[in-house]
mmCIF file of all heavy atoms in Angstrom:
data_model
loop_
_atom_site.group_PDB
_atom_site.id
_atom_site.type_symbol
_atom_site.label_atom_id
_atom_site.label_comp_id
_atom_site.label_asym_id
_atom_site.label_seq_id
_atom_site.Cartn_x
_atom_site.Cartn_y
_atom_site.Cartn_z
ATOM 1 N N GLN D 73 19.609 3.596 -15.490
ATOM 2 C CA GLN D 73 19.156 4.648 -14.582
ATOM 3 C C GLN D 73 19.578 4.344 -13.147
ATOM 4 O O GLN D 73 20.090 5.224 -12.446
ATOM 5 C CB GLN D 73 17.639 4.811 -14.654
ATOM 6 C CG GLN D 73 17.149 5.461 -15.926
ATOM 7 C CD GLN D 73 15.644 5.417 -16.063
ATOM 8 O OE1 GLN D 73 14.974 4.504 -15.554
ATOM 9 N NE2 GLN D 73 15.087 6.401 -16.764
ATOM 10 N N ILE D 74 19.379 3.124 -12.725
ATOM 11 C CA ILE D 74 19.757 2.744 -11.355
ATOM 12 C C ILE D 74 21.266 2.895 -11.156
ATOM 13 O O ILE D 74 21.718 3.370 -10.101
ATOM 14 C CB ILE D 74 19.233 1.335 -11.024
ATOM 15 C CG1 ILE D 74 17.693 1.379 -10.940
ATOM 16 C CG2 ILE D 74 19.849 0.802 -9.732
ATOM 17 C CD1 ILE D 74 17.013 0.051 -10.852
ATOM 18 N N LYS D 75 22.038 2.552 -12.163
ATOM 19 C CA LYS D 75 23.499 2.724 -12.093
ATOM 20 C C LYS D 75 23.850 4.210 -11.902
ATOM 21 O O LYS D 75 24.698 4.558 -11.070
ATOM 22 C CB LYS D 75 24.122 2.183 -13.384
ATOM 23 C CG LYS D 75 25.607 2.180 -13.442
ATOM 24 C CD LYS D 75 26.034 1.526 -14.764
ATOM 25 C CE LYS D 75 27.515 1.589 -14.976
ATOM 26 N NZ LYS D 75 27.912 0.961 -16.248
ATOM 27 N N VAL D 76 23.181 5.087 -12.650
ATOM 28 C CA VAL D 76 23.422 6.529 -12.512
ATOM 29 C C VAL D 76 22.994 6.989 -11.125
ATOM 30 O O VAL D 76 23.724 7.722 -10.446
ATOM 31 C CB VAL D 76 22.689 7.326 -13.614
ATOM 32 C CG1 VAL D 76 22.739 8.831 -13.326
ATOM 33 C CG2 VAL D 76 23.279 7.016 -14.979
ATOM 34 N N TRP D 77 21.820 6.578 -10.665
ATOM 35 C CA TRP D 77 21.324 7.013 -9.359
ATOM 36 C C TRP D 77 22.251 6.572 -8.236
ATOM 37 O O TRP D 77 22.466 7.304 -7.285
ATOM 38 C CB TRP D 77 19.899 6.523 -9.129
ATOM 39 C CG TRP D 77 18.930 7.022 -10.166
ATOM 40 C CD1 TRP D 77 19.045 8.162 -10.928
ATOM 41 C CD2 TRP D 77 17.721 6.400 -10.579
ATOM 42 N NE1 TRP D 77 17.973 8.268 -11.772
ATOM 43 C CE2 TRP D 77 17.139 7.206 -11.584
ATOM 44 C CE3 TRP D 77 17.062 5.231 -10.191
ATOM 45 C CZ2 TRP D 77 15.936 6.880 -12.201
ATOM 46 C CZ3 TRP D 77 15.854 4.910 -10.811
ATOM 47 C CH2 TRP D 77 15.306 5.731 -11.802
ATOM 48 N N ARG D 78 22.816 5.381 -8.349
ATOM 49 C CA ARG D 78 23.785 4.918 -7.336
ATOM 50 C C ARG D 78 25.040 5.803 -7.383
ATOM 51 O O ARG D 78 25.601 6.148 -6.340
ATOM 52 C CB ARG D 78 24.157 3.454 -7.567
ATOM 53 C CG ARG D 78 23.014 2.489 -7.411
ATOM 54 C CD ARG D 78 22.749 2.158 -5.967
ATOM 55 N NE ARG D 78 21.700 1.157 -5.870
ATOM 56 C CZ ARG D 78 20.590 1.301 -5.162
ATOM 57 N NH1 ARG D 78 20.389 2.399 -4.478
ATOM 58 N NH2 ARG D 78 19.681 0.351 -5.124
ATOM 59 N N ALA D 79 25.471 6.167 -8.583
ATOM 60 C CA ALA D 79 26.646 7.037 -8.719
ATOM 61 C C ALA D 79 26.369 8.422 -8.127
ATOM 62 O O ALA D 79 27.252 9.030 -7.515
ATOM 63 C CB ALA D 79 27.050 7.148 -10.189
ATOM 64 N N LEU D 80 25.153 8.911 -8.293
ATOM 65 C CA LEU D 80 24.788 10.209 -7.712
ATOM 66 C C LEU D 80 24.921 10.173 -6.192
ATOM 67 O O LEU D 80 25.371 11.142 -5.574
ATOM 68 C CB LEU D 80 23.348 10.585 -8.076
ATOM 69 C CG LEU D 80 23.041 10.826 -9.551
ATOM 70 C CD1 LEU D 80 21.539 11.044 -9.741
ATOM 71 C CD2 LEU D 80 23.841 11.974 -10.100
ATOM 72 N N GLN D 81 24.536 9.065 -5.589
ATOM 73 C CA GLN D 81 24.598 8.936 -4.135
ATOM 74 C C GLN D 81 26.038 8.961 -3.626
ATOM 75 O O GLN D 81 26.267 9.245 -2.452
ATOM 76 C CB GLN D 81 23.902 7.651 -3.687
ATOM 77 C CG GLN D 81 22.394 7.717 -3.883
ATOM 78 C CD GLN D 81 21.727 6.408 -3.544
ATOM 79 O OE1 GLN D 81 21.903 5.406 -4.237
ATOM 80 N NE2 GLN D 81 20.964 6.413 -2.475
ATOM 81 N N ALA D 82 26.997 8.698 -4.508
ATOM 82 C CA ALA D 82 28.407 8.691 -4.109
ATOM 83 C C ALA D 82 29.058 10.070 -4.237
ATOM 84 O O ALA D 82 30.198 10.245 -3.801
ATOM 85 C CB ALA D 82 29.175 7.668 -4.952
ATOM 86 N N ILE D 83 28.356 11.061 -4.805
ATOM 87 C CA ILE D 83 28.911 12.409 -4.916
ATOM 88 C C ILE D 83 28.792 13.073 -3.552
ATOM 89 O O ILE D 83 27.691 13.232 -3.032
ATOM 90 C CB ILE D 83 28.182 13.253 -5.985
ATOM 91 C CG1 ILE D 83 28.236 12.572 -7.353
ATOM 92 C CG2 ILE D 83 28.795 14.659 -6.058
ATOM 93 C CD1 ILE D 83 27.357 13.238 -8.413
ATOM 94 N N PRO D 84 29.910 13.465 -2.955
ATOM 95 C CA PRO D 84 29.853 14.057 -1.611
ATOM 96 C C PRO D 84 29.163 15.420 -1.592
ATOM 97 O O PRO D 84 29.162 16.145 -2.588
ATOM 98 C CB PRO D 84 31.328 14.212 -1.223
ATOM 99 C CG PRO D 84 32.121 13.474 -2.229
ATOM 100 C CD PRO D 84 31.275 13.328 -3.454
ATOM 101 N N VAL D 85 28.620 15.751 -0.435
ATOM 102 C CA VAL D 85 28.064 17.083 -0.206
ATOM 103 C C VAL D 85 29.164 18.103 -0.505
ATOM 104 O O VAL D 85 30.333 17.867 -0.201
ATOM 105 C CB VAL D 85 27.592 17.223 1.263
ATOM 106 C CG1 VAL D 85 27.210 18.653 1.581
ATOM 107 C CG2 VAL D 85 26.432 16.286 1.538
ATOM 108 N N SER D 86 28.815 19.210 -1.105
ATOM 109 C CA SER D 86 29.680 20.334 -1.470
ATOM 110 C C SER D 86 30.515 20.062 -2.722
ATOM 111 O O SER D 86 31.321 20.894 -3.105
ATOM 112 C CB SER D 86 30.585 20.801 -0.323
ATOM 113 O OG SER D 86 31.725 19.976 -0.195
ATOM 114 N N LYS D 87 30.294 18.935 -3.365
ATOM 115 C CA LYS D 87 31.012 18.606 -4.598
ATOM 116 C C LYS D 87 30.011 18.505 -5.739
ATOM 117 O O LYS D 87 28.840 18.187 -5.538
ATOM 118 C CB LYS D 87 31.753 17.268 -4.472
ATOM 119 C CG LYS D 87 32.752 17.217 -3.351
ATOM 120 C CD LYS D 87 33.913 18.141 -3.599
ATOM 121 C CE LYS D 87 34.915 18.039 -2.466
ATOM 122 N NZ LYS D 87 35.843 19.117 -2.417
ATOM 123 N N THR D 88 30.500 18.774 -6.928
ATOM 124 C CA THR D 88 29.689 18.568 -8.126
ATOM 125 C C THR D 88 30.510 17.798 -9.145
ATOM 126 O O THR D 88 31.748 17.768 -9.066
ATOM 127 C CB THR D 88 29.243 19.902 -8.758
ATOM 128 O OG1 THR D 88 30.396 20.648 -9.145
ATOM 129 C CG2 THR D 88 28.367 20.718 -7.817
ATOM 130 N N LEU D 89 29.815 17.195 -10.075
ATOM 131 C CA LEU D 89 30.424 16.570 -11.250
ATOM 132 C C LEU D 89 29.677 17.090 -12.457
ATOM 133 O O LEU D 89 28.471 17.352 -12.375
ATOM 134 C CB LEU D 89 30.268 15.046 -11.213
ATOM 135 C CG LEU D 89 31.114 14.230 -10.265
ATOM 136 C CD1 LEU D 89 30.743 12.760 -10.358
ATOM 137 C CD2 LEU D 89 32.595 14.408 -10.590
ATOM 138 N N SER D 90 30.361 17.198 -13.569
ATOM 139 C CA SER D 90 29.652 17.558 -14.793
ATOM 140 C C SER D 90 28.994 16.292 -15.348
ATOM 141 O O SER D 90 29.382 15.163 -15.021
ATOM 142 C CB SER D 90 30.612 18.152 -15.823
ATOM 143 O OG SER D 90 31.443 17.140 -16.368
ATOM 144 N N TYR D 91 28.002 16.514 -16.196
ATOM 145 C CA TYR D 91 27.354 15.373 -16.845
ATOM 146 C C TYR D 91 28.398 14.540 -17.575
ATOM 147 O O TYR D 91 28.367 13.306 -17.528
ATOM 148 C CB TYR D 91 26.282 15.861 -17.838
ATOM 149 C CG TYR D 91 25.130 16.567 -17.177
ATOM 150 C CD1 TYR D 91 25.078 17.958 -17.130
ATOM 151 C CD2 TYR D 91 24.081 15.856 -16.598
ATOM 152 C CE1 TYR D 91 24.027 18.624 -16.519
ATOM 153 C CE2 TYR D 91 23.025 16.510 -15.980
ATOM 154 C CZ TYR D 91 23.006 17.905 -15.948
ATOM 155 O OH TYR D 91 21.961 18.546 -15.336
ATOM 156 N N GLY D 92 29.344 15.220 -18.242
ATOM 157 C CA GLY D 92 30.395 14.517 -18.980
ATOM 158 C C GLY D 92 31.319 13.719 -18.080
ATOM 159 O O GLY D 92 31.707 12.598 -18.415
ATOM 160 N N GLU D 93 31.691 14.297 -16.923
ATOM 161 C CA GLU D 93 32.558 13.576 -15.985
ATOM 162 C C GLU D 93 31.875 12.313 -15.471
ATOM 163 O O GLU D 93 32.487 11.244 -15.404
ATOM 164 C CB GLU D 93 32.930 14.464 -14.799
ATOM 165 C CG GLU D 93 33.887 15.581 -15.138
ATOM 166 C CD GLU D 93 34.029 16.589 -14.016
ATOM 167 O OE1 GLU D 93 33.043 16.874 -13.298
ATOM 168 O OE2 GLU D 93 35.153 17.107 -13.866
ATOM 169 N N LEU D 94 30.604 12.438 -15.107
ATOM 170 C CA LEU D 94 29.882 11.270 -14.620
ATOM 171 C C LEU D 94 29.703 10.256 -15.740
ATOM 172 O O LEU D 94 29.865 9.045 -15.522
ATOM 173 C CB LEU D 94 28.528 11.682 -14.024
ATOM 174 C CG LEU D 94 27.727 10.581 -13.344
ATOM 175 C CD1 LEU D 94 28.552 9.856 -12.273
ATOM 176 C CD2 LEU D 94 26.453 11.144 -12.740
ATOM 177 N N ALA D 95 29.425 10.741 -16.941
ATOM 178 C CA ALA D 95 29.279 9.837 -18.090
ATOM 179 C C ALA D 95 30.571 9.060 -18.346
ATOM 180 O O ALA D 95 30.533 7.854 -18.605
ATOM 181 C CB ALA D 95 28.875 10.633 -19.323
ATOM 182 N N ALA D 96 31.709 9.737 -18.257
ATOM 183 C CA ALA D 96 32.995 9.061 -18.477
ATOM 184 C C ALA D 96 33.211 7.956 -17.443
ATOM 185 O O ALA D 96 33.668 6.860 -17.784
ATOM 186 C CB ALA D 96 34.145 10.072 -18.434
ATOM 187 N N ARG D 97 32.860 8.240 -16.194
ATOM 188 C CA ARG D 97 32.994 7.222 -15.136
ATOM 189 C C ARG D 97 32.111 6.007 -15.408
ATOM 190 O O ARG D 97 32.446 4.890 -15.014
ATOM 191 C CB ARG D 97 32.609 7.805 -13.781
ATOM 192 C CG ARG D 97 33.587 8.797 -13.242
ATOM 193 C CD ARG D 97 33.165 9.285 -11.872
ATOM 194 N NE ARG D 97 34.076 10.313 -11.395
ATOM 195 C CZ ARG D 97 34.024 10.836 -10.186
ATOM 196 N NH1 ARG D 97 33.111 10.435 -9.319
ATOM 197 N NH2 ARG D 97 34.888 11.759 -9.827
ATOM 198 N N LEU D 98 30.964 6.253 -16.044
ATOM 199 C CA LEU D 98 29.999 5.181 -16.286
ATOM 200 C C LEU D 98 30.094 4.618 -17.706
ATOM 201 O O LEU D 98 29.270 3.787 -18.090
ATOM 202 C CB LEU D 98 28.579 5.692 -16.020
ATOM 203 C CG LEU D 98 28.314 6.186 -14.605
ATOM 204 C CD1 LEU D 98 26.910 6.771 -14.493
ATOM 205 C CD2 LEU D 98 28.503 5.062 -13.594
ATOM 206 N N HIS D 99 31.080 5.109 -18.477
ATOM 207 C CA HIS D 99 31.253 4.670 -19.868
ATOM 208 C C HIS D 99 29.971 4.883 -20.667
ATOM 209 O O HIS D 99 29.467 3.960 -21.317
ATOM 210 C CB HIS D 99 31.712 3.205 -19.931
ATOM 211 C CG HIS D 99 32.908 2.943 -19.076
ATOM 212 N ND1 HIS D 99 34.166 3.413 -19.378
ATOM 213 C CD2 HIS D 99 33.033 2.292 -17.894
ATOM 214 C CE1 HIS D 99 35.017 3.054 -18.434
ATOM 215 N NE2 HIS D 99 34.354 2.374 -17.508
ATOM 216 N N SER D 100 29.486 6.096 -20.609
ATOM 217 C CA SER D 100 28.232 6.440 -21.254
ATOM 218 C C SER D 100 28.354 7.828 -21.882
ATOM 219 O O SER D 100 29.459 8.327 -22.077
ATOM 220 C CB SER D 100 27.107 6.408 -20.211
ATOM 221 O OG SER D 100 25.866 6.644 -20.825
#
Side-chain angles (χ1 to χ4, degrees):
Q73 288 171 331
I74 292 170
K75 185 176 175 180
V76 170
W77 301 335
R78 296 279 184 235
L80 295 174
Q81 291 175 292
I83 303 171
V85 171
S86 81
K87 302 293 181 196
T88 61
L89 286 177
S90 73
Y91 295 98
E93 289 169 325
L94 186 54
R97 289 182 184 186
L98 300 175
H99 308 289
S100 184

